Amino acid sequence: MPGVRIFSRQQTQQLTRGALGAVSGLLAAGAALAAAELAAGAVRPQAGPVVAVGGAAIDRTPAAVKDWAIRSFGTNDKLVLQLGILAVLGLLAVALGLLALRFRRTGAAGVLGFGVLGAAAALSRPDSIGVLDALPSLVGALAGAALLWLLTGRLTPVGAPATESASDASWDRRGFLVAAASAAAASTAAGALGRGLASSAGKEAAASRAAVRLPLPGSPARPVPRGAALRVGGISPFVTSNADFYRVDTALVVPKVDATRWRLRVHGQGVTRQLDLGFEDLLRRELIERDITLTCVSNEVGGPYAGNARWLGVRLADVLREAGVRPPSQGGPADQMVSRSVDGMTIGTPVEEVMDGRDALLALGMNGEPLPLQHGFPVRMVVPGLYGYVSACKWIEDIELTTFDAYDSYWVKRKWARQAPIKTQSRIDTPKPFARPKAGTVMVAGVAWAQHRGIERVEVRVDDGPWRDADLAAQATTDTWRQWSLSWEATAGPHTLTTRATDGTGAVQTARRARTIPDGASGRHSVVITVD
Ligand SMILES: Nc1nc2c(c(=O)[nH]1)N[C@H]1C(S)=C(S)[C@@H](COP(=O)(O)O)O[C@H]1N2
Ligand SMILES: [Mo]
């Protein structure tokens, strides 16, 4: 249809110019990110702008939103956040590119402005080491601003400001293409180089992990009794493999700690002898090995954030005692120990519980391996009976004895409870929601946990029928979850299966529904199915 013209020649020119302006903005943003990534790779990977802005956003996310993100995106929450940041950045880049077509200086200044924001975000992170953290964002912003200035300069008609009559040929088409292509190539190279540098920093951590030879425990775990693991399809295995173990933390980049350089300081109120321990010091102590089920406070009723592993480590209470610490019940002045990780997380744990005889650990092994990097290599805490956010500090490097009155840890500042013992829960693993089993014998099975109190009984109810006792697998220890199953003669039609547990103190799991905030979800897990 040669005769049909949707746009006039002039409109086409304006559209092209607009599109090229947008492209300039995107290229400038790409150059900024790449230069920042390179600078971050050279100095500090966690100070890269996307990670810094993402981290700062996590720090400022209200508890309800954080919980929603974990619920909706699960372990992909961090990926979703970073993609979101990149999408917003892309839109802003297009806007700045268009702006720069008319106001070149303002557009370039806008890029610098975002650099300052990135730098501020990096400086605000709890693990910031100061001015160095501002560098990547500032370097990136300079590169981005310079490129935007240069590219939009090529798009501006030579000589005079843009006029309606400016002809196609009046801007430097060739100059623009050459500059744009070189910038794209340089950005790709810089970005790749930055990533390479960052990952070589991670290699030392991985190498030090590969070199770890875990000694045999002086105090091995009690053998898991025969009968602790039921043979029922679809039930959570008694031991959760490291690969399947849930991960919940605020770290956009997994901290890479070289075990040979790792130190742990113990200090604060009531400490008569400050400790400064290295990884080898821990390996030389008596190691104990224990099966302990870890649970996240953000786990919904029936949710996936619980896992059971065999941990190897030193008794935390012994370390504290060596430092002169006494629990409050023996007159010690500190009722809270604040553990701090290399990435600035702070976790406040009651000293009384840590020293009451339970197997609170500084763990360095998980299911027969050194801790995986994402689970806290080289050393983390594990305290039976307390939710992870008040006990399970990964990548730990500092323990400070203080009081709950004097200091609020990371999540407590964000309105979560100071004290958070794990609530008794029972979860139906099989059948799955909306399953359609055949009428006849159906195995209903799952796991129940009430760490450090133990599970005494699990019951299942079909619709509004009577509670029926499930068969319990053997209890390994009171610190682990316990499998259960019930063989049910299923009749055709829709059914609701509900479960409840009774813990070792005789307390029955409450039916009262509570949200995860502030101290853990409660209520009973139900699954709706249709029997064919
Ligand atoms: N350094 C650090 N340690 C941390 C966290 C964190 O964000 N940073 N999250 C805690 C929370 S909320 C939980 S539930 C456990 C989860 O441990 P996992 O990821 O090994 O399962 O780690 C705890 N330790
Ligand atoms: Mo958690």
Side-chain angles (χ1 to χ4, degrees), residues 42 51 117 166 377 441:
V51 169
L117 280 183
F377 182 81
T441 308

Side-chain angles (χ1 to χ4, degrees), residues 463-487:
D463 303 318
D464 295 325
W467 286 103
R468 287 199 274 174
D469 274 305
D471 295 319
L472 286 174
Q475 174 149 291
T477 79
T478 58
D479 294 337
T480 55
W481 61 17
R482 196 166 179 183
Q483 294 183 340
W484 56 265
S485 71
L486 178 81
S487 157

Side-chain angles (χ1 to χ4, degrees), residues 245-250 294-296 341 343 345 347 375 380 388-389 392-395:
F245 209 94
Y246 79 94
R247 174 183 166 206
V248 171
D249 56 55
T250 58
L294 213 65
T295 312
C296 181
S341 69
D343 62 333
M345 171 56 62
I347 284 183
H375 292 295
R380 74 175 302 167
Y389 85 105
C393 189
K394 304 193 274 188
W395 313 291

Side-chain angles (χ1 to χ4, degrees), residues 69-263:
I70 289 184
R71 214 162 46 235
S72 322
F73 307 120
T75 313
N76 291 325
D77 56 347
K78 299 184 181 72
L79 181 64
V80 171
L81 175 66
Q82 300 200 56
L83 290 177
I85 290 171
L86 288 177
V88 171
L89 208 62
L91 290 175
L92 291 169
V94 167
L96 282 177
L98 293 173
L99 179 72
L101 283 180
R102 295 203 54 181
F103 308 102
R104 216 171 140 204
R105 195 166 301 166
T106 316
V111 177
L112 288 178
F114 284 109
V116 171
L117 280 183
L123 290 173
S124 81
R125 297 298 337 272
D127 61 338
S128 169
I129 53 164
V131 284
L132 203 54
D133 288 305
L135 195 71
S137 288
L138 295 181
V139 167
L142 279 174
L147 183 62
L148 188 61
W149 175 264
L150 191 125
L151 288 176
T152 47
R154 299 281 179 281
L155 293 175
T156 309
V158 229
T163 57
E164 299 278 309
S165 61
S167 85
D168 242 6
S170 66
W171 59 275
D172 181 3
R173 188 187 299 242
R174 208 182 117 78
F176 179 85
L177 282 178
V178 170
S182 339
S187 299
T188 311
L193 185 59
R195 282 290 149 99
L197 286 174
S199 81
S200 70
K203 283 200 185 91
E204 283 158 33
S208 75
R209 181 174 183 274
V212 172
R213 294 285 162 269
L214 292 179
L216 289 176
S219 165
R222 272 209 283 159
V224 174
R226 286 175 50 195
L230 300 176
R231 276 196 210 89
V232 178
I235 200 172
S236 303
F238 178 72
V239 177
T240 314
S241 69
N242 290 354
D244 291 339
F245 209 94
Y246 79 94
R247 174 183 166 206
V248 171
D249 56 55
T250 58
L252 281 172
V253 176
V254 174
K256 314 277 186 330
V257 182
D258 178 345
T260 62
R261 283 194 249 166
W262 174 86
R263 308 295 302 177

Side-chain angles (χ1 to χ4, degrees), residues 66 70 246 248-249 295-299 305 387-390 411:
K66 169 238 173 196
I70 289 184
Y246 79 94
V248 171
D249 56 55
T295 312
C296 181
V297 72
S298 293
N299 195 46
Y305 302 127
Y387 284 120
Y389 85 105
V390 290
W411 288 113

Side-chain angles (χ1 to χ4, degrees), residues 381-423:
M381 276 179 38
V382 173
V383 183
L386 306 181
Y387 284 120
Y389 85 105
V390 290
S391 69
C393 189
K394 304 193 274 188
W395 313 291
I396 191 173
E397 67 170 7
D398 190 277
I399 293 176
E400 178 171 2
L401 279 296
T402 177
T403 61
F404 280 105
D405 282 343
Y407 185 79
D408 283 342
S409 56
Y410 184 92
W411 288 113
V412 174
K413 285 194 183 91
R414 290 159 179 81
K415 304 286 183 288
W416 293 77
R418 284 197 172 80
Q419 304 270 354
I422 296 172
K423 296 180 180 177

